[in-house]
Amino acid sequence: MIEDAGFVGVTFSNKVDTFAQADGEEQARAFGTFGYVIEARKP
Amino acid sequence: MTDISKPPAVDVEQLRAAVGDIYRGVAERPDAGYHFHTGRTALAHLGYPSEVTDPLPDAAADAFAGVANVFEPGLPDRGERVIDVGSGAGADALIAARAVGDDGAVTGVDMNESMLERARRSAAEVGLTNASFEVGLIEELPVEDEWADVIISNGVLNLVPDKLTAYRELFRVTRPGGRLQISDICVEQEVPEEAKRDIDLWGA
C-alpha cells in the first residue's frame, strides 16, 4: 500500500497497546488492534 | 494484518460526517469519555516524554486523541518543514514546531473547525508563529508539491477508506528524500466485509 504510492523503506515499530484500559479495549482485543509508528522515505 | 489494498464499499461522505461528529465531540467535550484515551492521559499512556508534553497548552493537550507516539523515532530536525495530517487540537504539530524552530515551519491540516480553533489558539498562547493550521482533507492537502521534509500523522489513516489515494497525496507533498513518520492502528484479525461497511464500527 505505502510502497504502491511510491515510498520506500517502509518500517513498522513495535506494537503499542493503544486501547489498554480504555473503554474500547474489549473491541480492540477482538480485532487485535494495536498502534504502530510507520516510517517510510520518498526516493 | 487485514488486506486494506481495496477501499471498502462505504459512503465516503457519511463516513466523514460520522468521524467529524466523534472528533468535534472530543474538541468540544474532551473529558466526556470515549472508547479511546484522550488528553494528557493518552499522551502519557503512549509514552510521550513529559519534557515535550509539559509545555503544551491545555487546549492542545486536553483534546489529543492519538494512537502512538509519532516522535518515538525522533523529533524533526531544526529548520525542517513538517505537515501534520489530521492535526486535531495541535499537540503533535506544536511539539514539532518547537523542535524545528524559527527556521522551520509546521502546517497542520484538519477537516474539523473545532479542532483547528483549539490548535490556532494553542499556537498563539505559546507564541509558536512557525505553526499554521488549515482546513483540508488528507486526499486534497492544501500544500504545494514537495513542500515537506517530514509528514506526521496520528490515528488518521485508519479513518480513510481509500488509503492508496491518501498515501499518493502524502507522496505528492513530500520532497524527494523526505520522510513519512506516522502513527496509526492496524488490525491483526481479518475484518469481515460486513463490518467494513458498518459506518459505526469505523469510529469504534
Side-chain angles (χ1 to χ4, degrees):
Chain A
M1 170 71 63
I2 300 173
E3 291 99 331
D4 290 344
F7 290 100
V8 297
V10 179
T11 62
F12 282 66
S13 70
N14 292 326
K15 62 188 179 186
V16 177
D17 200 356
T18 304
F19 294 94
Q21 299 174 320
D23 288 351
E25 180 174 10
E26 187 177 346
Q27 183 109 14
R29 297 255 179 267
F31 288 105
T33 309
F34 293 94
Y36 296 84
V37 181
I38 305 160
E39 294 180 88
R41 185 172 50 81
K42 180 171 178 174
Chain B
M1 290 177 196
T2 194
D3 177 16
I4 55 171
S5 57
K6 286 188 296 186
V10 293
D11 184 308
V12 173
E13 292 304 322
Q14 270 192 329
L15 178 59
R16 278 190 192 135
V19 169
D21 284 346
I22 293 171
Y23 290 95
R24 190 176 311 109
V26 175
E28 295 171 2
R29 299 174 57 226
D31 55 355
Y34 298 90
H35 65 276
F36 42 81
H37 295 295
T38 57
R40 293 192 190 274
T41 300
L43 288 160
H45 176 74
L46 299 176
Y48 280 75
S50 59
E51 55 262 36
V52 300
T53 58
D54 284 352
L56 289 173
D58 287 343
D62 289 352
F64 172 82
V67 300
N69 176 8
V70 75
F71 301 114
E72 193 273 334
L75 290 164
D77 294 328
R78 291 195 74 78
E80 286 193 313
R81 298 199 289 202
V82 179
I83 302 173
D84 184 357
V85 178
S87 49
D92 285 326
L94 296 184
I95 291 170
R98 201 174 290 277
V100 301
D102 291 340
D103 294 334
V106 177
T107 298
V109 179
D110 204 283
M111 68 176 186
N112 189 310
E113 287 287 356
S114 299
M115 285 292 192
L116 288 165
E117 191 279 326
R118 272 184 177 266
R120 290 171 182 142
R121 178 158 42 101
S122 296
E125 182 179 331
V126 292
L128 284 169
T129 57
N130 61 343
S132 62
F133 295 90
E134 310 290 338
V135 67
L137 298 171
I138 189 169
E139 299 93 337
E140 297 173 71
L141 292 169
V143 182
E144 65 189 73
D145 293 355
E146 301 184 351
W147 182 84
D149 298 293
V150 188
I151 306 287
I152 61 172
S153 183
N154 201 335
V156 174
L157 267 297
N158 70 92
L159 299 169
V160 178
D162 188 351
K163 291 171 179 40
L164 183 55
T165 295
Y167 279 116
R168 283 178 173 151
E169 181 67 350
L170 300 185
F171 189 84
R172 179 186 71 78
V173 298
T174 306
R175 71 161 172 83
R179 62 194 188 278
L180 203 62
Q181 188 170 317
I182 62 176
S183 298
D184 213 342
I185 55 170
C186 299
V187 293
E188 294 179 340
Q189 310 295 326
E190 186 66 30
V191 179
E193 283 301 318
E194 188 177 304
K196 290 180 188 174
R197 290 193 295 269
D198 186 339
I199 296 282
D200 290 339
L201 285 177
W202 280 74

